[in-house]
Amino acid sequence: MEQTSTQNKSSKQDLFEGVDFYQVDDLLTEEHKLIRSSIRDFVKKEISPYIEEWAQDAHFPYEIVKKFGDVGAFGPQIPSEYGGGGLDYISYGLIMQEVERGDSGMRSTASVQGSLVMYPIYKFGSEEQRKRFLPKLASGEMLGCFGLTEPDHGSNPSGMKTNFKDMGDHYLLNGAKMWISNSPKADIAVVWAKNEEGRIHGLIVERGMEGFSTPETHNKWSLRASCTGELVFDNVKVPKENLLPGKSGLGAPLMCLDSARYGIAWGAVGAAMDCYDSARRYAMERIQFDKPIASFQLVQKKLAEMLTEITKAQLLNWRLGKMMDEGKASTAHISLAKRNNVAMALEIAREARQIHGGMGITGDYPIMRHMMNLESVITYEGTHDIHLLILGNEITGIAAFK
């Protein structure tokens, strides 16, 4: 029986109005601002009142999937003819920013669906695959996941052991994937595996195929409102028409990760803005030594540095978004933004925790939840150090990780 949320509303109201010290809004179109406003309202209504309870209970609210579909958070950059939003990359970034302000786990659900499932089916799939899967994924009727990471191959995906053999009328898939967002509830998985020649291909594996299971990962201290699990393939018969025909090799899944990492760069700013906004409000209200703690130099230093870093990251994202729309953004450009913005958000969460004092560790404020979530975001889809080495490779032409 499907578990549903108790939907106990938090008594604490979401008062967030935005952070825009350098008037970055002037660089956005009216459509951009309308999209952001609609997602912000959605987060305030559907996520903020319940997220602390979901995180405390380690509960993934499956009903949010259909709601994400209704509001257009799945595959906003996919053409509308396949059910996507047909929007530009700045719109996609703004959507991820607003969803992650609500919670990183919620953003993971949305960005996996849009960038790691819908994107490869659109980019590398057949027309039949696009028409069969994309509209249902866009609407939230189906949930998908992306299988690349393995128990022994994380930063080095090219060493993957998952493989498939050509059996004439079908493929036989064997192996396992780990740390897969959405997997326990997913209807389909875009799985990357090696053929008999060792070439990496994408396969669409569907729930119900014999030998395919998705054990859930428990006891997480991070992304507790997101469902995470494994993908296990024990002689799974995959129809030949489920192979993604458009591209093979490691470059295919890495292109998907570029799209997802772009969304993370924006999403992390949302988490940072939420921590900053909460810290600013708390500092104005918290009285110590007969005056608000916002009047003390060290608290003002923390707030000023938070605002500075958020502003720099906003400008970085806007420029990267323009480059994405113009087809000029490289993997290294995206790595710089992902690495910088997630580290920035994590540092702001820690500083905000200091400003909140003991209250910062409770679910009355979002700080500790964001901090724990960002500990995952800083290592998934390319660790902090791997992104540094991607940049180092770009600068020197020498790959330090091979």
Side-chain angles (χ1 to χ4, degrees):
M1 189 173 173
E2 187 64 61
Q3 184 186 4
T4 56
S5 304
T6 51
Q7 298 281 301
N8 290 334
K9 271 197 173 187
S10 167
S11 58
K12 201 165 182 67
Q13 200 175 353
D14 183 348
L15 300 173
F16 183 80
E17 293 174 359
V19 180
D20 186 15
F21 188 64
Y22 260 34
Q23 298 170 23
V24 180
D25 272 16
D26 290 351
L27 301 171
L28 304 178
T29 66
E30 288 307 311
E31 185 185 25
H32 289 148
K33 288 183 263 193
L34 191 63
I35 289 164
R36 183 185 60 191
S37 178
S38 69
I39 301 296
R40 187 171 293 174
D41 290 345
F42 171 83
V43 168
K44 288 186 176 186
K45 181 185 175 191
E46 301 290 354
I47 294 176
S48 299
Y50 314 108
I51 188 60
E52 300 301 342
E53 185 183 5
W54 293 340
Q56 292 279 359
D57 293 346
H59 170 62
F60 172 62
Y62 184 75
E63 63 276 11
I64 202 75
V65 175
K66 188 71 177 71
K67 292 175 181 178
F68 272 141
D70 291 342
V71 80
F74 288 150
Q77 79 284 27
I78 301 294
S80 54
E81 65 187 285
Y82 300 112
L87 302 175
D88 64 9
Y89 270 95
I90 287 180
S91 298
Y92 172 53
L94 289 166
I95 291 169
M96 294 302 106
Q97 172 185 287
E98 294 302 314
V99 173
E100 189 149 356
R101 188 192 70 80
D103 186 73
S104 301
M106 294 287 101
R107 197 266 311 139
S108 292
T109 300
S111 64
V112 165
Q113 183 93 328
S115 286
L116 299 183
V117 183
M118 295 176 69
Y119 177 85
I121 293 174
Y122 168 67
K123 200 79 176 171
F124 314 133
S126 65
E127 189 62 19
E128 183 196 4
Q129 289 168 345
R130 292 185 189 120
K131 288 178 176 171
R132 181 181 169 198
F133 294 110
L134 290 179
K136 289 181 178 179
L137 289 162
S139 68
E141 185 181 336
M142 293 178 78
L143 184 65
C145 65
F146 176 87
L148 181 63
T149 299
E150 296 186 356
D152 297 322
H153 298 92
S155 295
N156 177 28
S158 63
M160 70 172 65
K161 295 286 191 283
T162 301
N163 65 89
F164 65 98
K165 293 178 180 174
D166 190 333
M167 305 304 288
D169 60 344
H170 65 271
Y171 298 118
L172 200 62
L173 179 66
N174 281 284
K177 303 292 184 178
M178 196 174 188
W179 304 120
I180 310 300
S181 293
N182 298 355
S183 88
K185 299 287 187 185
D187 300 290
I188 65 167
V190 173
V191 178
W192 302 92
K194 288 180 177 175
N195 65 9
E196 288 152 286
E197 288 76 46
R199 184 74 177 170
I200 293 170
H201 288 264
L203 299 155
I204 301 171
V205 182
E206 300 174 58
R207 174 77 64 187
M209 287 182 174
E210 192 175 347
F212 174 41
S213 58
T214 57
E216 187 163 2
T217 303
H218 296 288
N219 300 322
K220 296 183 300 178
W221 287 107
S222 183
L223 302 177
R224 288 171 61 84
S226 167
C227 66
T228 310
E230 301 170 49
L231 300 173
V232 180
F233 315 107
D234 182 10
N235 287 324
V236 179
K237 292 180 180 178
V238 180
K240 288 202 163 179
E241 60 266 24
N242 281 31
L243 182 92
L244 296 177
K247 187 174 175 64
S248 64
L250 190 59
L254 294 183
M255 280 177 67
C256 306
L257 287 170
D258 276 348
S259 178
R261 289 162 176 168
Y262 168 78
I264 291 171
W266 282 82
V269 173
M273 290 196 299
D274 203 46
C275 291
Y276 164 76
D277 189 65
S278 181
R280 182 183 60 81
R281 292 175 192 276
Y282 186 83
M284 299 294 284
E285 296 165 1
R286 173 68 169 164
I287 306 297
Q288 290 291 282
F289 305 103
D290 304 318
K291 54 186 177 181
I293 63 171
S295 65
F296 296 112
Q297 288 183 0
L298 289 178
V299 173
Q300 290 190 7
K301 176 181 185 289
K302 285 179 168 62
L303 292 172
E305 288 177 342
M306 288 181 195
L307 181 60
T308 300
E309 294 305 315
I310 288 169
T311 301
K312 285 154 67 175
Q314 287 173 319
L315 292 166
L316 189 63
N317 279 345
W318 179 80
R319 178 61 192 145
L320 180 60
K322 296 298 282 186
M323 291 169 74
M324 290 286 284
D325 284 330
E326 293 165 6
K328 295 177 180 176
S330 69
T331 294
H333 289 131
I334 296 165
S335 285
L336 186 150
K338 192 270 187 186
R339 182 177 185 275
N340 178 81
N341 293 4
V342 180
M344 173 276 296
L346 190 50
E347 182 61 26
I348 284 179
R350 289 169 178 159
E351 290 293 295
R353 218 292 293 158
Q354 294 277 351
I355 291 174
H356 285 77
M359 293 305 294
I361 71 164
T362 72
D364 293 337
Y365 294 90
I367 310 303
M368 200 73 174
R369 175 174 52 80
H370 280 308
M371 193 191 306
M372 292 192 300
N373 285 342
L374 289 164
E375 286 291 354
S376 288
V377 181
I378 203 166
T379 54
Y380 74 16
E381 297 189 28
T383 68
H384 193 60
D385 290 346
I386 285 291
H387 284 298
L388 181 143
L389 296 179
I390 289 171
L391 279 170
N393 185 18
E394 183 74 11
I395 294 163
T396 65
I398 304 167
F401 43 80
K402 288 182 183 175

